[in-house]
Amino acid sequence: MDNNSVIGSEVDAEADESYVNAALEDGQTGKKSVQRNYATVLTEEDIRALMEIDVQSVSDFTSLSKAEATLLLSHLRWNVDCICKQWSAGAQSVRDSVGLLELDPPSDDNEYFCGACGESHPHKNLASVSCGHRICTRCWTSHINKIISEKPAAEWNLWLKCPVRVGLHASCPASVGLDTIERFASKREKFNYNQYLLRSYVDNRETGSRCAIDLSPGSGNASVSCHRLVRFCWNCREDAHSPVDCKTAAKWLLENAVPCPKCKLRIPRNQDNSLKMKCLPCNYVFCWFCHVDWIEDMEGTGGDLHFCTFDAVLSDQRGKMSESDSNRYEDCYENWDSNELLMQKEQANLPKLDTIIQELSNTQLENVSQLKFILEAGLQIIECRRVLEWTYVYGYYLREDEVGKQNLLKDTQERLKKFVENLKHCLETNLQPFRYEEEPSKDFNAFRIKLTELTSLTRNHYENVVKDVENGLASVVSEGEASGSGRNQ
């Protein structure tokens, strides 16, 4: 632990409090000491216990099974109060919105045809969700494993439905719950789905964090992480945006990302710059500019038109932006967005790394803690992508005459990308052969040393990038440049 880290036992802090006490003069020794406040730690086990409490609460209130209550919570962003209010106002409407149907159970015949493959199976080899359609064990396993392994986690709730076709182009709307997944999915897909539920809960519930949060004096960003589940800025409570400050990040997000009017999740603008936006987690479709419900507005105009003042505003903005500014903006946005997507891809890959660690504990090293260097490499790649993403925003707000800083920033970005590529290659390519070894490999220790060293080198460069940009690239001193300040800040 370095000199800026928190030392001592954990101190409870209110979820909405964030402050750092200034250095205090010690009257007896004359030495200065720094007192910090930081959040209480929650382990994964603690978070799952909180999830269980919410599941039980919804189950008791709605008289649903725990699996059905979990399904309800995962669809409606784990908001217990909101679910209870909606349920009281219209339980059937809530059921329909998440795919919890109320139909008469099918007969218990000895033989029945699978609704997916059409083959005849004994009754004991068939199972159904709330729709009552009988599906055989083989079809359930294939259907669930395929969706979890191939679709993005954000879309699982959209695709995990009964596989029976109820029309020429329509699928059965009945959702697949945790009980069905636990019964039919493979071990890896079960693990991945449970990790998805955990991340979904953390993303949508203010559970606090389970780490001693270091609020070091002199840092304007106060990025904190909670055991890889979520990373955010302690000052503004938005997603972590180091190395740019909160004001710059807020300005950029205001111009380039918008919160979904329904679930409030902030989502980036479509790459094709179309007005029609769709929030994947909640399925809401709305206008990027005026935030109205896209479908309702279209229905009100005969189904083929959407009216808002965006075109006039856009034309006015383009008229004020020079061609060079427009090119700089497009370059910045493309790099910002591509690193955001790459970061999300690496985050979605974390459950796979957990699975690999479990596999290697059976062949290479029995102690799982000795294999954490693999996960640390994956997490470092994610953090580098996050920082790279925001360095492009920093570069966009540099003045045009700050050429020295612009060039230094580009060199710094390229070096960091090279470190990330080397680390990623070692993690993905060099690791794979060991997954298929049935006995301990003599080469595994060499791989462990190499990956650990690459992670350390990448982390050192990453930390230097953060420090340099937070200091305004102060090492660049040239005529006509004012160190540390960017235009429009």
Side-chain angles (χ1 to χ4, degrees):
M1 187 172 288
D2 61 30
N3 294 331
N4 289 329
S5 298
V6 177
I7 302 176
S9 60
E10 294 170 358
V11 179
D12 288 340
E14 292 295 327
D16 290 330
E17 290 183 350
S18 60
Y19 54 88
V20 181
N21 291 338
L24 302 175
E25 188 74 23
D26 189 315
Q28 295 181 345
T29 63
K31 297 180 179 179
K32 289 185 178 181
S33 61
V34 176
Q35 180 177 338
R36 297 182 177 89
N37 294 275
Y38 49 99
T40 307
V41 179
L42 295 177
T43 63
E44 183 173 317
E45 183 180 352
D46 295 331
I47 295 173
R48 290 198 184 279
L50 292 174
M51 288 173 62
E52 179 63 24
I53 292 173
D54 283 353
V55 169
Q56 188 63 60
S57 296
V58 171
S59 176
D60 292 342
F61 186 86
T62 60
S63 298
L64 296 172
S65 67
K66 285 188 177 182
E68 291 172 324
T70 302
L71 190 64
L72 200 60
L73 283 159
S74 67
H75 275 75
L76 300 179
R77 304 184 67 80
W78 297 89
N79 191 326
V80 176
D81 292 339
C82 181
I83 289 171
C84 291
K85 290 178 182 178
Q86 290 185 35
W87 189 269
S88 298
Q92 190 59 52
S93 176
V94 177
R95 279 181 170 275
D96 293 342
S97 69
V98 301
L100 283 175
L101 310 184
E102 276 191 303
L103 301 174
D104 294 330
S107 61
D108 292 333
D109 299 333
N110 292 330
E111 291 280 334
Y112 213 87
F113 290 97
C114 171
C117 67
E119 296 180 3
S120 176
H121 296 273
H123 176 265
K124 64 179 181 179
N125 293 340
L126 295 159
S128 62
V129 288
S130 60
C131 58
H133 294 131
R134 301 294 186 96
I135 309 296
C136 70
T137 299
R138 184 179 60 189
C139 287
W140 269 129
T141 299
S142 174
H143 179 64
I144 293 171
N145 288 346
K146 182 177 177 65
I147 289 172
I148 295 178
S149 63
E150 296 182 3
K151 298 291 183 181
E155 298 181 16
W156 286 352
N157 278 340
L158 303 179
W159 291 99
L160 282 170
K161 305 288 185 180
C162 170
V164 171
R165 287 284 185 184
V166 294
L168 185 60
H169 302 291
S171 297
C172 177
S175 293
V176 176
L178 181 60
D179 52 346
T180 306
I181 292 169
E182 290 286 357
R183 180 177 174 185
F184 296 110
S186 67
K187 182 178 179 181
R188 178 179 300 180
E189 272 58 53
K190 288 178 189 175
F191 176 83
N192 289 347
Y193 187 77
N194 277 287
Q195 288 299 110
Y196 155 73
L197 287 178
L198 184 69
R199 291 195 302 274
S200 171
Y201 181 81
V202 172
D203 287 345
N204 292 288
R205 293 283 284 170
E206 294 184 358
T207 56
S209 54
R210 202 201 78 84
C211 50
I213 295 179
D214 178 13
L215 295 176
S216 304
S219 173
N221 291 300
S223 295
V224 296
S225 59
C226 312
H227 284 269
R228 74 194 169 120
L229 298 172
V230 67
R231 190 169 180 86
F232 63 97
C233 174
W234 185 254
N235 291 332
C236 67
R237 303 302 170 89
E238 291 285 355
D239 289 343
H241 49 72
S242 176
V244 304
D245 58 34
C246 297
K247 181 180 178 181
T248 304
K251 181 178 181 180
W252 177 259
L253 289 174
L254 184 64
E255 296 172 353
N256 298 282
V258 63
C260 169
K262 184 176 181 181
C263 69
K264 308 306 179 185
L265 181 69
R266 189 176 291 277
I267 53 179
R269 177 95 185 266
N270 293 328
Q271 288 187 332
D272 62 1
N273 288 329
S274 65
L275 292 178
K276 186 177 181 180
M277 300 288 295
K278 182 176 181 179
C279 177
L280 290 178
C282 74
N283 249 359
Y284 188 66
V285 181
F286 63 98
C287 173
W288 158 268
F289 185 73
C290 59
H291 297 186
V292 302
D293 185 298
W294 186 274
I295 297 175
E296 288 184 3
D297 190 56
M298 294 284 279
E299 290 174 349
T301 60
D304 57 357
L305 293 173
H306 169 72
F307 294 106
C308 74
T309 58
F310 175 77
D311 289 336
V313 174
L314 183 61
S315 297
D316 181 60
Q317 289 177 339
R318 285 176 174 168
K320 296 177 181 178
M321 184 180 289
S322 66
E323 182 177 352
S324 61
D325 281 343
S326 177
N327 292 337
R328 287 181 68 240
Y329 169 77
E330 290 178 5
D331 181 65
C332 172
Y333 183 84
E334 181 179 341
N335 283 293
W336 176 75
D337 189 54
S338 64
N339 276 284
E340 170 69 20
L341 294 174
L342 287 169
M343 182 182 70
Q344 292 178 8
K345 183 178 179 180
E346 297 297 339
Q347 288 174 326
N349 194 48
L350 287 180
K352 181 180 178 181
L353 291 183
D354 285 321
T355 302
I356 292 174
I357 289 173
Q358 293 298 325
E359 292 173 351
L360 295 178
S361 68
N362 296 324
T363 57
Q364 303 302 326
L365 293 171
E366 292 185 4
N367 192 338
V368 172
S369 63
Q370 293 178 297
L371 294 164
K372 290 300 182 183
F373 70 93
I374 296 173
L375 184 60
E376 289 173 0
L379 292 171
Q380 187 59 56
I381 292 172
I382 291 172
E383 287 311 303
C384 287
R385 288 296 179 194
R386 192 192 307 275
V387 164
L388 274 169
E389 172 186 6
W390 286 101
T391 59
Y392 289 101
V393 175
Y394 177 85
Y396 175 68
Y397 288 115
L398 285 174
R399 296 194 313 270
E400 290 186 5
D401 63 340
E402 295 180 298
V403 179
K405 289 186 178 182
Q406 292 174 16
N407 291 336
L408 176 61
L409 182 63
K410 289 179 181 177
D411 290 342
T412 300
Q413 290 166 334
E414 290 302 315
R415 286 198 300 272
L416 182 54
K417 284 194 287 187
K418 189 65 177 178
F419 274 105
V420 172
E421 289 168 3
N422 291 338
L423 180 58
K424 184 176 175 61
H425 179 270
C426 184
L427 179 63
E428 292 187 348
T429 304
N430 297 356
L431 175 62
Q432 289 304 313
F434 300 108
R435 297 185 63 187
Y436 308 106
E437 298 281 355
E438 296 182 357
E439 296 181 355
S441 171
K442 62 181 181 180
D443 299 324
F444 188 75
N445 190 53
F447 163 75
R448 179 181 62 81
I449 293 173
K450 179 180 180 180
L451 186 63
T452 302
E453 289 179 348
L454 280 174
T455 302
S456 179
L457 288 170
T458 305
R459 182 182 298 114
N460 289 340
H461 191 68
Y462 151 86
E463 291 173 349
N464 287 334
V465 170
V466 172
K467 182 172 65 176
D468 288 346
V469 176
E470 285 184 348
N471 289 335
L473 298 177
S475 60
V476 178
V477 179
S478 60
E479 186 176 353
E481 286 196 1
S483 176
S485 63
R487 69 177 174 85
N488 295 331
Q489 291 192 40

